[in-house]
Amino acid sequence: MTRFSFISVALLISLYSTGQTKKQRVVVDNDKKFLYSDTAGVTQSYIAYFGDRFPVPNLTTIDGKSINQADLKGKTVIYNFWFVSCRPCVAEIPALNRLVKKYKSDTTLLFVAITFDKEDHIKDFLQKREFTFQIASLPQTEIDTIKKISFYPFTAIVTKEEKLSFALFSRPIGKDPEEEFFNLLDKQIEKALFQ
């Protein structure tokens, strides 16, 4: 894990430990202030800084499948940025798997997880834990160029019009964090499908 990633994860863990609320709060990343809330993520702040385009290069999944930009035309794509040793990232996986299961018959949706972990490390992880997103590995520098924010985990929803509709780092914490996270992303996916 890079120092940059470690600091971002440490900040998220401190957010978890202090407990999250529905109120907006300011989070600073690379000298940029982001308004964060459990219901809106950092979407508006993110778009204000970086625009509503979220370009991702052509990818090859760890099982050899190509995901080209041409394949994404007319699809809503849920991108999750994670890595194996990130505890908050791994904690999100059950809710993410539930979303894939819920939308499995919708061919207009694509679920893609992107990590900087090496392929053999990911495959070792997947022997112990299921993650049903299509998983691709890229160098950390490419990931930083894509997501432009240092926090992990980071989820972005891109509409069929190729516009960012939702951006979130971390996840809600409450009595049932998995359920709250699932419901939040489910609502945002439904919204994105109609944009």
Side-chain angles (χ1 to χ4, degrees), residues 7-190:
I7 292 168
S8 298
V9 171
L11 177 61
L12 287 179
I13 290 169
S14 71
L15 281 174
Y16 285 161
S17 66
T18 59
Q20 295 180 350
T21 67
K22 302 288 183 204
K23 295 178 184 174
Q24 285 191 344
R25 60 197 167 278
V26 175
V27 179
V28 179
D29 181 61
N30 293 324
D31 298 323
K32 291 179 175 62
K33 292 181 182 180
F34 293 87
L35 283 178
Y36 179 93
S37 80
D38 291 343
T39 55
V42 293
T43 308
Q44 294 308 315
S45 299
Y46 189 94
I47 290 172
Y49 282 117
F50 308 119
D52 64 358
R53 295 290 177 191
F54 196 79
V56 175
N58 293 337
L59 301 168
T60 302
T61 66
I62 60 169
D63 48 353
K65 181 181 177 195
S66 292
I67 302 173
N68 299 312
Q69 291 307 305
D71 301 331
L72 303 180
K73 296 283 184 205
K75 293 191 185 271
T76 299
V77 185
I78 293 79
Y79 292 104
N80 181 260
F81 294 85
W82 71 294
F83 56 96
V84 168
S85 60
C86 167
R87 289 176 48 193
C89 301
V90 173
E92 288 183 347
I93 291 174
L96 295 170
N97 287 342
R98 286 177 54 203
L99 289 165
V100 173
K101 184 176 180 180
K102 176 179 178 178
Y103 291 100
K104 69 181 174 184
S105 64
D106 190 334
T107 59
T108 66
L109 267 175
L110 186 63
F111 295 88
V112 179
I114 301 174
T115 181
F116 55 78
D117 287 315
K118 301 291 183 209
E119 191 172 311
D120 59 335
H121 194 56
I122 301 164
K123 287 181 176 180
D124 287 345
F125 173 83
L126 293 174
Q127 287 182 357
K128 300 174 198 127
R129 191 163 216 142
E130 181 181 40
F131 193 4
T132 54
F133 272 47
Q134 295 183 59
I135 302 172
S137 178
L138 290 173
Q140 178 73 53
T141 54
E142 284 188 56
I143 291 173
D144 292 343
T145 300
I146 295 167
K147 66 186 193 87
K148 299 175 182 71
I149 192 168
S150 63
F151 298 110
Y152 283 88
F154 180 75
T155 302
I157 301 175
V158 179
T159 68
K160 60 187 172 201
E161 302 298 326
E162 301 177 24
K163 294 191 179 218
L164 181 71
S165 71
F166 185 69
L168 172 76
F169 64 81
S170 82
R171 63 187 183 136
I173 296 295
K175 292 181 182 177
D176 190 347
E178 181 182 329
E179 192 65 25
E180 288 183 37
F181 181 63
F182 173 85
N183 290 334
L184 172 61
L185 284 185
D186 187 32
K187 178 181 172 186
Q188 294 298 331
I189 290 169
E190 291 287 338

